[in-house]
Amino acid sequence: MRVALGSDHAGFNLKEQIRKHLEQTGMSFKDFGVFCENRIDYPDIAVAVSKAILAGEFNRGILICGTGIGMTIAANKHAGIRAALCGETYSARCARAHTDATVLAMGSRVIGSGLAADIVDVFLATPFDGGRHNRRIEKISLLE
Ligand code: RB5
């Protein structure tokens, strides 16, 4: 498992917390920035992370902005990327099990770092259920 991690300025502090969490859990990851709180447009980071996943360099992405909404929209513009905005662990589990989401988006102004770390753990640990969900994902792919 290789994880691509990124945030805009609004998500920087939570991204740093998640970076430390990934280090503590021994997860292999790359930090795509940002590396300070200077303003940056969230699509720039969403594009970098999404392209790296589509290139096969990473299996999962974690994107953080103020709400998580902009990152989700930007990542989902990439054919083959399924990004899910999660604010609790049930959605994170279903994002993987039902939707085979490759990117987790979170809002730093919405949730705290403890919950965010739990969401990350669930998202990274949950496999895709397959079965009936394959047909539904194929229908999403046809829209791309
Ligand atoms: C930045 O102020 C904010 O708009 C951004 O982080 C994000 O919440 C957008 O969806």
Side-chain angles (χ1 to χ4, degrees), residues 100-115:
D100 199 17
T102 45
V103 172
L104 166 66
M106 297 184 290
S108 64
R109 296 170 179 162
V110 183
I111 57 173
S113 59
L115 175 56

Side-chain angles (χ1 to χ4, degrees), residues 10-107:
F12 171 72
N13 285 321
L14 180 58
K15 189 264 289 175
E16 289 299 289
Q17 297 291 321
I18 296 303
R19 180 179 58 74
K20 289 173 194 157
H21 179 68
L22 292 175
E23 284 169 357
Q24 284 165 2
T25 58
M27 182 62 64
S28 174
F29 72 96
K30 177 179 174 180
D31 187 349
F32 281 75
V34 292
F35 300 105
C36 66
E37 288 184 278
N38 291 349
R39 285 183 182 277
I40 183 169
D41 299 330
Y42 54 81
D44 297 347
I45 301 295
V47 167
V49 165
S50 298
K51 284 186 172 175
I53 293 169
L54 291 172
E57 296 166 26
F58 300 90
N59 316 92
R60 301 279 182 274
I62 300 172
L63 289 169
I64 303 169
C65 62
T67 60
I69 296 170
M71 287 293 199
T72 307
I73 293 172
N76 277 321
K77 292 293 181 187
H78 297 76
I81 293 288
R82 284 182 295 279
L85 173 59
C86 298
E88 26 69 35
T89 54
Y90 178 78
S91 294
R93 184 172 296 107
C94 291
R96 288 289 313 125
H98 294 189
T99 333
D100 199 17
T102 45
V103 172
L104 166 66
M106 297 184 290

